[in-house]
DNA sequence: TGGCCTTTGAAGCGA
DNA sequence: TCGCTTCAAAGGCCA
C-alpha cells in the first residue's frame, strides 16, 4: 500500500498536508508525553477506576449536567464523523502525516477486541480504525460538558468541529479530556501530569487543563482509552458481533445494540434514562440527532413518533419541533470531505465551501480504488450503525426539513454567470497541472486558481497506483494499477452499463437540480455519459460510477458478509492500510520532523 | 438571518 | 428499472 510504506504516491499528498500543520516539534513533544503516559497506564487505570467512582458522586453542578448525558445529542455524531475523517486522513497521509494528532488514538485501539470481520479473532485494522473513530466520539460528553470556558479553543467545543482544528493540535477529544480532568481522581495522577494546579472549587489538585498544559492532549492516551465508554456495548466483545443484537430485545433507543455484561456494568440503566430535550426520543442522545433547537426546520410532518418529547401538551407542531432530527449517515464522499476539507483549506486560501468541494470532488476521483474503498467501507458501516441505532428511521424522514432549493435558477445559465457564488469551472477537458509543490500562495480564491490547489495527481499520487478498472482492483488490489488519473478515468471504468449522470458535464450541476429544471441535462439514460465528457476528469461522468464500481462488485454491501466473512483481498488491502498506518506512526513522525 | 453554492453518494419516490 | 429529488457537510457570500 502506498501510504504504508511511505514510498507511495501518497507521500506527495502528505507533503502538502504538512503545510497546514505547523509545530511539528511540538507534536513530537506531545508524543513523547504520551509515550511516558503509556508507561503510566497502570496508574491511569487505577485513576480511571477512581474516576468512574467519582463520577457517580460528583457534586459539581457542571458534572451533574454532564452526567446524565453520557452522550451528547448533537455533537457526538459530528465528532464521530470527525474522528472518522481524522483517522482516514492520517491514513491517507501515509508516512508523513503520521504524527499522531491524536496521541490517544493508539490507545483507543482495543487490542483484545474480537475482530468482527476476521475469523481469527484478531481485530481487523479496519475495525480498529472504525472503533477508534467511533469510540471516542461516542465517548464525548454532552454538549454542555464540552463547553469548557477555559478551553483555549472554544471552537472545538462548538457543535461543529472543523477538522482543520486538528491542525492546531487540539485534540478533538479535548472536551472529553476536560471532562475527564474534572473526574479524575487526584490521588494517582499520571506522573507527566503534575497536578500542581489546584481546583479553585474544590481545592483539590487537579490535572492542568489543556489550556494550562498545552493545546494538545493533556491526558495520557491510555487514560482516555481507559475511560469507560458510555456506549461500551458498541464495542465488540470477545466473540461478539460488533452490532450484536440482544436476544431479549433490550428496551433501548438502540434496540439493535447489544447489551452485554460489559455494558450493564459500566452503563447501568440509571445512566441512560433521563435526557434533556434534544436527546433521542428513546432516551439516549445520539450524535446523529440534531436538536430542533439547533436545527429548526420548518414544517415536516414528521415521521417519528410524536409525543415523546412533548412535555407540555402543545400543538402537534410543537411536538414536531421537539422531535430530534436524525441526520442521514454520511456517505463515502462526505466522510472524505470532512477529512480532507481542512487540508484543502490549509493548502489554499479558499474559504468557500463550494469551491473547496469542487476540489474535493476532483480529489475524490483522484483517489485510488483502495482509498475510496476505505471510505465506502466506512460509509457502509456508518449506515449500518445508523440503521441499527434508528431502525425505523428513513431518509424520507428528513425530507422537507430543509428548505427546498430554489429552482428558479436557469439550468442553462452559464456557470460564470450563474448565481452570486458563481464559480468558474474549468473548460473541459481540463488537465490538472502538477502542483505537487504546494504553496499557499498558489491558491487564490475561486476555481481558476483553485485548480492550482487541486492537483489530485500530485497530491496523492494515488492515481499512479490505483487500479484502472474495478476488475483490476478486485483482481489485484495491491498490484500497481495502470494510470488512474482523472483524465484517464475512462468511462470504461464503470462496469455499469449506464449510470446516472449526477453532474452535468458542462454546468456541473447535479443532475437533480439541473434536471429538475427540465431539459438541461440532456443527459439521462442515453446521455448519461455525454460523449464529450467521457475522458474528462471533472466531476461529471464517471463520478456516478465510482461508487457503484466499488460497492457493487465488492461484497461490502452485505452486513452479513462483512461481519462474518473474511474480507476480500481488496478489502484486506484497505484494512491493512489502516493497520499499518497506526503501527508506523511514531517512526513516521520522526521522519516527518526531520523533514 | 437564512438560503445558496458546490461536491458525491445514498435513499426514496413516481412513472 | 429508471430518472429525478432530497439530504448529508461545510462555510463564505448575498439578499
Amino acid at each position: 500500500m502506498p501510504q504504508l510504506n511511505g514510498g507511495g504516491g501518497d507521500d506527495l499528498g502528505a507533503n502538502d498536508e504538512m503545510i497546514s500543520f505547523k509545530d511539528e516539534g511540538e507534536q513530537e513533544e506531545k508524543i513523547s508525553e504520551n509515550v511516558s503516559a503509556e508507561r503510566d497506564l497502570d496508574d491511569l487505570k487505577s485513576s480511571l477506576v477512581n474516576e468512574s467512582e467519582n463520577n457517580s458522586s460528583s457534586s459539581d453542578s457542571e458534572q451533574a449536567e454532564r452526567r446524565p448525558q453520557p452522550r451528547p445529542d448533537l455533537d457526538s455524531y459530528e465528532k464521530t464523523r470527525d474522528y472518522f475523517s481524522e483517522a482516514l486522513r492520517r491514513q491517507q497521509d501515509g508516512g508523513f502525516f503520521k504524527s499522531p494528532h491524536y496521541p490517544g488514538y493508539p490507545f483507543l485501539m482495543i487490542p483484545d477486541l474480537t475482530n468482527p470481520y476476521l475469523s481469527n479473532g484478531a481485530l481487523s485494522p479496519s475495525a480498529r480504525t472504525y472503533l477508534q473513530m467511533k469510540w471516542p466520539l461516542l465517548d464525548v460528553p454532552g454538549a454542555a460538558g464540552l463547553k469548557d470556558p477555559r478551553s483555549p479553543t472554544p471552537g472545538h467545543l462548538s457543535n461543529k468541529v472543523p477538522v482543520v482544528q486538528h491542525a492546531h493540535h487540539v485534540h478533538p477529544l479535548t472536551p472529553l479530556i476536560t471532562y475527564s480532568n474534572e473526574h479524575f481522581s487526584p490521588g494517582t495522577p499520571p506522573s507527566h501530569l503534575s497536578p500542581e494546579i489546584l481546583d479553585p472549587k474544590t481545592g483539590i489538585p487537579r490535572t492542568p487543563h489543556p489550556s494550562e498544559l498545552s493545546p494538545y492532549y493533556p491526558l495520557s492516551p491510555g487514560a482516555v482509552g481507559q475511560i469507560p465508554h458510555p456506549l461500551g456495548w458498541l464495542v465488540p466483545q470477545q466473540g461478539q458481533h460488533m452490532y450484536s443484537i440482544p436476544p431479549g430485545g433490550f428496551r433501548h433507543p438502540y434496540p439493535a445494540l447489544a447489551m452485554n455484561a460489559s455494558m450493564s456494568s459500566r452503563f447501568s440503566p440509571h445512566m441512560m434514562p433521563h435526557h434533556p430535550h434534544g436527546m433521542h426520543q428513546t432516551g439516549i442522545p445520539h450524535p446523529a440527532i440534531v436538536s430542533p433547537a439547533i436545527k429548526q426546520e420548518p414544517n415536516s410532518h414528521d415521521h417519528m413518533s410524536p409525543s415523546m418529547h412533548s412535555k407540555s401538551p402543545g400543538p402537534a407542531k410543537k411536538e414536531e419541533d421537539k422531535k430530534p432530527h436524525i441526520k442521514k449517515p454520511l456517505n463515502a464522499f462526505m466522510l472524505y470531505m470532512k477529512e480532507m476539507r481542512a487540508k484543502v483549506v490549509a493548502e489554499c486560501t479558499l474559504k468557500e465551501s463550494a469551491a473547496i468541494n469542487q476540489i474535493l470532488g476532483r480529489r475524490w476521483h483522484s483517489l485510488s480504488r483502495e482509498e475510496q474503498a476505505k471510505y465506502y467501507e466506512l460509509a457502509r458501516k456508518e449506515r449500518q450503525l445508523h440503521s441499527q441505532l434508528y431502525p425505523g428511521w428513513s431518509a424520507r424522514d428528513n425530507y422537507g426539513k430543509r428548505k427546498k432549493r430554489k429552482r428558479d435558477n436557469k439550468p442553462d445559465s452559464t456557470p460564470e454567470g450563474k448565481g452570486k457564488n458563481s464559480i468558474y469551472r474549468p473548460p473541459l477537458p481540463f488537465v490538472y497541472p502538477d502542483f505537487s509543490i504546494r504553496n499557499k500562495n498558489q491558491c487564490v480564491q475561486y476555481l481558476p486558481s483553485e485548480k492550482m490547489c487541486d492537483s489530485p495527481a500530485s497530491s496523492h499520487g494515488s492515481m499512479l497506483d490505483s487500479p484502472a478498472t474495478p476488475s483490476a482492483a478486485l483482481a489485484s488490489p495491491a498490484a500497481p494499477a495502470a494510470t488512474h488519473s482523472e483524465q484517464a478515468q475512462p468511462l470504461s471504468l464503470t462496469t455499469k452499463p449506464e449510470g446516472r449522470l449526477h453532474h452535468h458535464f458542462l454546468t456541473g450541476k447535479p443532475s437533480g437540480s439541473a434536471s429538475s429544471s427540465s431539459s438541461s441535462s440532456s443527459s439521462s439514460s442515453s446521455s448519461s455519459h455525454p460523449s464529450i465528457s467521457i475522458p474528462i476528469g471533472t466531476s461529471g461522468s464517471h463520478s456516478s460510477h465510482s461508487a457503484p464500481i466499488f460497492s457493487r462488485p465488492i461484497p461490502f454491501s452485505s452486513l452479513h458478509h462483512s461481519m462474518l466473512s473474511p474480507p476480500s483481498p481488496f478489502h484486506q488491502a484497505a484494512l491493512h492500510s489502516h493497520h499499518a498506518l497506526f503501527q508506523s506512526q511514531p517512526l513516521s513522525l520522526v521522519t516527518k520532523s526531520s523533514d
Side-chain angles (χ1 to χ4, degrees), chain A residues 358 361-366 369 425-432 451 454 456 463 484-494 501 503-508 528-546:
Chain A
Q358 283 190 334
R362 293 173 186 158
R363 287 195 176 189
W364 171 254
H365 293 300
S366 73
R369 301 291 167 191
R425 295 172 205 290
L428 302 174
F430 170 68
V431 177
Y432 292 97
K451 292 185 292 185
D454 180 19
M463 59 176 61
H484 163 231
S485 64
E486 293 193 13
Q487 295 84 8
Q489 279 190 338
L491 183 61
S492 60
L493 271 177
T494 177
L501 178 62
H503 299 84
H504 191 272
F505 157 62
L506 289 177
T507 64
S528 287
H529 309 291
S531 59
I532 189 173
S533 69
I534 290 175
I536 293 168
T538 56
S539 52
S541 58
H542 79 278
S543 66
S544 59
H545 306 305
S546 55

Side-chain angles (χ1 to χ4, degrees), chain A residues 310-322:
Chain A
S310 58
K311 293 179 181 178
S312 63
K317 185 180 179 180
K318 267 195 173 182
E319 294 182 1
E320 288 180 357
D321 288 344
K322 291 185 178 180

Side-chain angles (χ1 to χ4, degrees), chain A residues 71-90:
Chain A
R71 300 176 59 205
D73 53 340
L74 305 178
D75 294 348
S76 47
Y77 200 62
E78 308 291 334
K79 296 183 183 303
T80 302
R81 290 168 175 172
D82 288 338
Y83 295 125
F84 262 122
S85 302
E86 179 60 22
L88 282 171
R89 181 175 64 186
R90 292 171 55 199

Side-chain angles (χ1 to χ4, degrees), chain A residues 13 36 63 76 101 154 165 192 195 229 268 289 301 321 380 401 419 441 480 489 500 505 520 523 532 534 591:
Chain A
S36 64
Q63 293 179 11
S76 47
H101 294 88
Q165 294 167 350
H192 66 292
H229 197 292
S268 55
I289 301 174
H301 2 279
D321 288 344
R380 184 185 62 82
K401 294 200 170 185
N441 297 333
Q489 279 190 338
R500 184 180 64 165
F505 157 62
S520 77
S523 51
I532 189 173
I534 290 175
T591 302

Side-chain angles (χ1 to χ4, degrees), chain A residues 60-73:
Chain A
D60 187 311
S61 61
E62 287 181 349
Q63 293 179 11
E65 289 181 0
R66 299 169 190 171
R67 190 59 42 211
Q69 304 179 20
R71 300 176 59 205
D73 53 340

